[in-house]
Amino acid sequence: MGLQCKMASILEYLNNFIWNEQFWLGDDAQWDDFISSDPSIYYPKVTHMNWSIVIGILLMFVRPIFESFVIIPFANCLGLKERKNISLKESPPLEAAYKSYKAEVPYNEIKRLSKETNLTERQIQRWFYKKRLMQMPSLIYKFKECSWQAFFYSITSCYWLYTLWDKPWMWVTVNCWIGWPKQHVDNHVFILYLAELSFYWNLLFEIYFRSNYHQKDKKQMVLHHLATITLIYFSWGCNFVRGGSLVLLVHDFADPWLNMTKMAKYLNRQTACEILFVFLLISWIFSRCIIYPYWIMYLAVVEILDYVTTSSGYWLTSALLILLQLLHFIWTYMLITTALQKFTSGSIKKDSRSESDNELSDSTNEETLKDSIIQSEEYSRQMTQDNQEN
């Protein structure tokens, strides 16, 4: 009992520290203002959003089922198959060298390994080729990743539009603050908030708990997910839900196009990829570089000052919104760089966000690597035949 009481007191202290009333609400409101005596009026409760962590974990088990019964059959129908298994003999010296040098193993190191393992230089090179190919994310893996996100964001973006279309704050943003903190949250907004927060928890868990996760901007994605989760939590806890719903709508708007463009590329549908990329570029720039800074950030940073007294929570929220905008600019630069490939090389050859710095992951590189393996194996067989004849 003593330990339980101590743990309860620690949790209570942490809760009071994180949700400090003065920090988040300033002098304009109290947490008691979010208590409704009318059953038909609902004000946000943070404890309800805590279920998002549980749902985020459950999605890690739901996703493989969805992929097995929906995404993989769909991909197979479109001609995308699982990559064949590659056999590779265990070799501790070669494993150690691969971990040290990754893609580029110096020739002197290969010569040393040849003496240590009694393998030819060509056999060692072939071993490294196969190792790199095994560790590359396959096209079906990347297709599943994009399909999962395209499925979710397509549903949420449509659901947000349906839910917010007739809401007064959708078109006149000052309504996000008029009447605060006594602003009712309806069931549709509650469901969408819980779904969004659960999904971002799931994305964060996937980064850390999936050993084969490959993204060039992994650190940026972690930063983005943490900033988004923090904003969702605090906008809910402070009942800044109206502004938060607009932020989520703007973020979800371009994501289906982003993922569908990648899916078309993985399917080697170049024409479809380029058409979808045009829609992606338009929706992305419109939502992330125009609507977000000039509409969303304005209502959250400027308009709020006429209705809510600034507090420490205001400055933190503003900083997180600005951080998201900086990430938007970085990703916009990547998209424009990809778009320029069309004009410089005639086609969109790669997705600048889908590979790590030290690993190859696009279809062209995978095919090149396969060709190298085949060529090296043919060379090895030819050398063996020559030796036998001699």
Side-chain angles (χ1 to χ4, degrees):
M1 289 294 294
L3 180 61
Q4 291 179 351
C5 292
K6 189 174 182 179
M7 288 296 297
S9 62
I10 292 174
L11 291 174
E12 184 179 0
Y13 172 80
L14 289 174
N15 183 69
N16 293 334
F17 176 79
I18 294 172
W19 295 103
N20 182 278
E21 188 173 83
Q22 186 63 32
F23 181 90
W24 291 110
L25 304 180
D27 300 324
D28 293 334
Q30 299 176 341
W31 295 126
D32 290 342
D33 293 331
F34 301 133
I35 299 174
S36 174
S37 58
D38 185 351
S40 63
I41 302 296
Y42 175 79
Y43 299 136
K45 291 181 175 61
V46 175
T47 53
H48 291 170
M49 281 298 114
N50 289 340
W51 282 103
S52 63
I53 301 175
V54 178
I55 298 174
I57 295 173
L58 289 176
L59 286 175
M60 296 186 69
F61 299 95
V62 172
R63 176 176 172 174
I65 299 173
F66 179 75
E67 290 176 347
S68 298
F69 290 95
V70 179
I71 297 177
I72 293 178
F74 176 65
N76 292 340
C77 288
L78 296 176
L80 194 60
K81 306 295 183 182
E82 289 281 4
R83 187 167 62 194
K84 293 181 179 179
N85 292 329
I86 301 171
S87 60
L88 190 65
K89 292 182 179 180
E90 292 187 7
S91 176
L94 297 182
E95 287 282 358
Y98 182 83
K99 290 180 180 178
S100 299
Y101 296 101
K102 290 296 183 182
E104 300 295 334
V105 181
Y107 179 67
N108 290 337
E109 181 68 13
I110 292 177
K111 289 180 66 177
R112 187 190 67 79
L113 290 169
S114 179
K115 294 178 182 179
E116 182 179 352
T117 60
N118 293 323
L119 296 173
T120 65
E121 294 177 10
R122 181 63 63 177
Q123 288 174 325
I124 293 173
Q125 289 174 339
R126 186 166 69 250
W127 192 96
F128 285 131
Y129 280 136
K130 289 185 176 181
K131 185 68 174 180
R132 291 170 64 196
L133 183 58
M134 288 174 64
Q135 294 199 340
M136 281 196 294
S138 65
L139 294 181
I140 195 72
Y141 166 86
K142 293 186 286 185
F143 187 86
K144 290 187 294 184
E145 188 83 16
C146 293
S147 298
W148 174 248
Q149 296 192 33
F151 174 75
F152 177 81
Y153 289 126
S154 297
I155 292 175
T156 55
S157 57
C158 293
Y159 197 1
W160 273 123
L161 281 172
Y162 168 78
T163 300
L164 299 179
W165 192 261
D166 60 347
K167 297 294 189 291
W169 66 87
M170 174 74 170
W171 310 106
V172 182
T173 55
V174 294
N175 287 310
C176 290
W177 312 119
I178 294 176
W180 182 85
K182 298 289 187 178
Q183 294 177 337
H184 169 65
V185 177
D186 65 28
N187 291 334
H188 293 296
V189 174
F190 175 86
I191 292 170
L192 281 164
Y193 244 80
L194 185 61
E196 293 273 6
L197 191 53
S198 301
F199 191 73
Y200 279 106
W201 275 121
N202 175 254
L203 293 179
L204 191 62
F205 295 153
E206 295 282 353
I207 291 175
Y208 283 107
F209 298 110
R210 289 185 70 171
S211 58
N212 58 350
Y213 179 87
H214 295 275
Q215 284 288 102
K216 186 175 182 178
D217 54 353
K218 180 176 179 178
K219 293 181 180 179
Q220 296 169 8
M221 293 306 297
V222 170
L223 195 61
H224 175 273
H225 297 336
L226 287 175
T228 304
I229 288 170
T230 303
L231 281 170
I232 293 175
Y233 250 118
F234 291 149
S235 67
W236 181 263
C238 299
N239 201 10
F240 293 156
V241 174
R242 294 183 177 183
S245 63
L246 297 179
V247 173
L248 292 170
L249 169 62
V250 169
H251 270 79
D252 289 359
F253 185 70
D255 284 332
W257 300 108
L258 172 64
N259 288 285
M260 286 189 291
T261 301
K262 291 182 178 182
M263 291 164 63
K265 184 62 180 176
Y266 302 148
L267 291 168
N268 201 27
R269 304 291 203 277
Q270 188 64 28
T271 301
C273 174
E274 292 175 1
I275 293 173
L276 288 168
F277 187 81
V278 172
F279 285 101
L280 165 61
L281 204 59
I282 293 172
S283 62
W284 182 279
I285 293 175
F286 176 72
S287 62
R288 304 286 181 103
C289 298
I290 298 176
I291 296 297
Y292 184 85
Y294 292 105
W295 185 39
I296 302 299
M297 288 191 64
Y298 182 78
L299 78 89
V301 178
V302 179
E303 281 186 345
I304 188 176
L305 298 177
D306 294 330
Y307 301 91
V308 180
T309 304
T310 57
S311 61
S312 300
Y314 162 81
W315 296 109
L316 176 60
T317 303
S318 299
L320 290 172
L321 290 170
I322 293 171
L323 173 62
L324 287 178
Q325 185 58 62
L326 292 176
L327 293 173
H328 294 165
F329 286 143
I330 292 172
W331 289 325
T332 301
Y333 169 77
M334 291 181 176
L335 285 174
I336 293 174
T337 301
T338 304
L340 291 176
Q341 295 176 12
K342 174 64 179 177
F343 299 99
T344 57
S345 61
S347 63
I348 298 173
K349 293 185 177 181
K350 74 172 184 176
D351 165 29
S352 58
R353 285 185 53 201
S354 64
E355 61 186 58
S356 66
D357 292 326
N358 299 319
E359 304 237 4
L360 305 170
S361 63
D362 57 33
S363 57
T364 303
N365 284 325
E366 186 172 329
E367 291 301 323
T368 301
L369 213 54
K370 288 179 180 178
D371 292 341
S372 298
I373 293 173
I374 293 170
Q375 291 172 9
S376 63
E377 289 176 342
E378 290 177 349
Y379 178 85
S380 180
R381 285 194 296 269
Q382 184 64 43
M383 290 294 291
T384 302
Q385 291 175 3
D386 292 343
N387 290 335
Q388 290 174 349
E389 291 174 358
N390 296 331

